Amino acid sequence: MIDLQDRHFLSTLDFSVEEVRHLVRRALDLKARARDGTFPRSLAGRVGALLFFNPSVRTRVSCESAMTRLGGSAITINPGKDTWNFEVGDGVVMDGSTQEHVRELAPVLSRMCHFIGVRKSELITVGSARAEASADYAELARDPFLHALAEHGEVPIVNLESNRFHPLQGLADMATMQERLGEPAGRKYVLTWTWHPKSLPVATPHSQMLAAADLGMDVTVLRPKGWELEPAVMVAARERARSCGGDVTETDDPSAAYEGAHVVCAKAWGSLDYYGRFEQEAEDKAPLRAEWTVDEARMDRTDDAFFMHCLPVRRNIVVSDGVLDSSRSAVIDEAENRLWTAAALFAALGGK
Ligand code: CP
């Protein structure tokens, strides 16, 4: 009997492989029940607060839709836009731009809502003021706001994407691979870095790699030298994969990576080594632009792989129109599965 009630969901690493797989099974069951008209309204009267510091389409709509379909409701808040600016630092003299501390915010929202979701990651843009403020990956990876909410909140906290993890994307990717492959264990999964004009966070590729690891897949992380993912997350993914018969390896060789792949998942991410040196990163990765797009020729080297991307995606930068518009693309199913996996998670954390 798996009981996830009242747990925080900050990363899939907070849950065992068995618990994560249970959520994915629940999600696919809910998807089937939505089709046959027996979708449960197990969250009637329940309310979620969703704090979005960053923009979103899929995460916001899937969470709101999931709560409504389950009979509950969700209140979306854009901190600093339709609320106060929130402070997280300990002992801060709040004479600047922040008006309310997370020490009050977390318990107040907890008295009014049954869970709190939060998206807060630093969007790293070359030349932006925020880039200056987020120069150190190790500092950002501590995700202080998310963890302060978890410490001071009195209800489950759900990570809707932080600097380090995007666990709801991971669940949706697992559901998609489960649907398409039946038994994903032992199949070859390639997570490929792609060029992008911005230096994006590593949260999504971390959670996507963990998703394939938790399915026991043969995971290959394909990236140029210098764009390695966080070593501690690599170790965790390898341990989880090996515990269920898979493995995680890394390469900078596209030919070897694509050969025999069953799934190709593309994602752009910024180099951890370049944090705070974004102009330099942009200059150094410029020659990679033409070499890393997922196109038909690359997909032809696979074992009839399907293509995944979390969206939004830049066409003909990250992936060619030919791949994205073909039957090989699973991106719309993958996005839809954000809805069913969010529903499964909320029902499991807060169901009556
Ligand atoms: N994949 C994803 O999280 O999409 P949004 O940024 O639109 O929520």
Side-chain angles (χ1 to χ4, degrees):
M1 174 68 182
I2 292 178
D3 181 1
L4 303 177
Q5 283 233 344
D6 301 326
R7 298 263 297 272
H8 294 317
F9 186 66
L10 310 187
S11 160
T12 49
L13 291 173
D14 294 340
F15 287 18
S16 67
V17 171
E18 190 187 358
E19 288 170 337
V20 172
R21 290 187 180 189
H22 168 78
L23 281 174
V24 173
R25 280 195 301 275
R26 288 277 303 263
L28 294 174
D29 179 55
L30 286 173
K31 188 173 185 175
R33 293 181 67 179
R35 304 274 194 265
D36 69 22
T38 61
F39 200 77
R41 294 181 66 80
S42 58
L43 295 188
R46 302 257 158 173
V47 181
L50 306 174
L51 277 65
F52 281 92
F53 286 83
N54 310 110
S56 167
V57 172
R58 279 143 291 274
T59 306
R60 176 176 172 174
V61 176
S62 63
C63 290
E64 291 185 4
S65 179
M67 285 302 292
T68 302
R69 287 162 188 255
L70 287 163
S73 60
I75 300 169
T76 293
I77 296 165
N78 298 122
K81 296 194 180 92
D82 53 20
T83 69
W84 315 117
N85 285 308
F86 299 121
E87 179 59 60
V88 68
D90 285 333
V92 172
V93 178
M94 288 171 53
D95 58 358
S97 62
T98 53
Q99 293 104 319
E100 180 163 358
H101 202 284
V102 70
R103 284 173 177 268
E104 286 76 54
L105 175 71
V108 166
L109 289 180
S110 301
R111 303 291 172 91
M112 299 176 180
C113 301
H114 298 90
F115 74 88
I116 305 168
V118 60
R119 165 171 285 196
K120 191 174 193 313
S121 70
E122 313 310 317
L123 293 174
I124 307 155
T125 306
V126 173
S128 76
R130 296 189 74 176
E132 302 302 319
S134 55
D136 180 4
Y137 173 73
E139 177 67 27
L140 286 181
R142 290 212 290 271
D143 286 324
F145 191 88
L146 175 71
H147 288 281
L149 268 183
E151 181 182 352
H152 300 294
E154 298 164 358
V155 294
I157 306 299
V158 177
N159 180 2
L160 306 178
E161 190 182 8
S162 69
N163 290 304
R164 200 166 180 227
F165 295 114
H166 190 357
L168 279 166
Q169 186 66 53
L171 291 183
D173 283 21
M174 287 179 77
T176 308
M177 291 189 281
Q178 192 85 58
E179 274 182 319
R180 293 233 167 191
L181 295 173
E183 180 43 87
R187 311 296 282 277
K188 183 172 180 180
Y189 170 94
V190 178
L191 174 64
T192 177
W193 180 90
T194 62
W195 185 90
H196 192 283
K198 294 183 178 180
S199 300
L200 300 179
V202 289
T204 298
H206 279 169
S207 289
Q208 290 176 314
M209 172 175 64
L210 287 165
D214 281 349
L215 290 170
M217 300 181 77
D218 171 17
V219 179
T220 299
V221 180
L222 170 62
R223 81 289 173 275
K225 285 193 176 70
W227 277 267
E228 291 82 3
L229 294 172
E230 185 189 317
V233 179
M234 291 297 300
V235 168
R238 197 166 286 124
E239 283 175 0
R240 301 266 289 212
R242 287 179 180 169
S243 76
C244 33
D247 206 350
V248 177
T249 56
E250 292 178 86
T251 181
D252 60 358
D253 177 1
S255 301
Y258 278 84
E259 193 71 42
H262 301 104
V263 182
V264 173
C265 179
K267 186 71 187 81
W269 65 84
S271 165
L272 305 186
D273 295 339
Y274 281 90
Y275 265 68
R277 298 187 295 128
F278 304 107
E279 306 277 3
Q280 188 65 52
E281 178 173 18
E283 197 176 309
D284 289 356
K285 75 179 180 182
L288 304 175
R289 175 172 176 158
E291 295 170 22
W292 286 80
T293 305
V294 180
D295 59 16
E296 295 91 316
R298 291 218 152 114
M299 291 299 288
D300 284 345
R301 289 202 215 117
T302 68
D303 187 0
D304 201 22
F306 62 88
F307 175 78
M308 298 180 71
H309 190 280
C310 62
L311 304 182
V313 68
R314 291 187 183 235
R315 282 175 173 258
N316 304 309
I317 293 286
V318 169
V319 56
S320 68
D321 282 344
V323 172
L324 201 52
D325 295 331
S326 75
S327 58
R328 287 166 155 171
S329 175
V331 300
I332 305 302
D333 289 344
E334 185 182 0
E336 181 192 336
N337 285 333
R338 294 294 309 273
L339 168 61
W340 310 118
T341 45
L345 178 72
F346 297 157
L349 298 184
K352 288 179 275 189

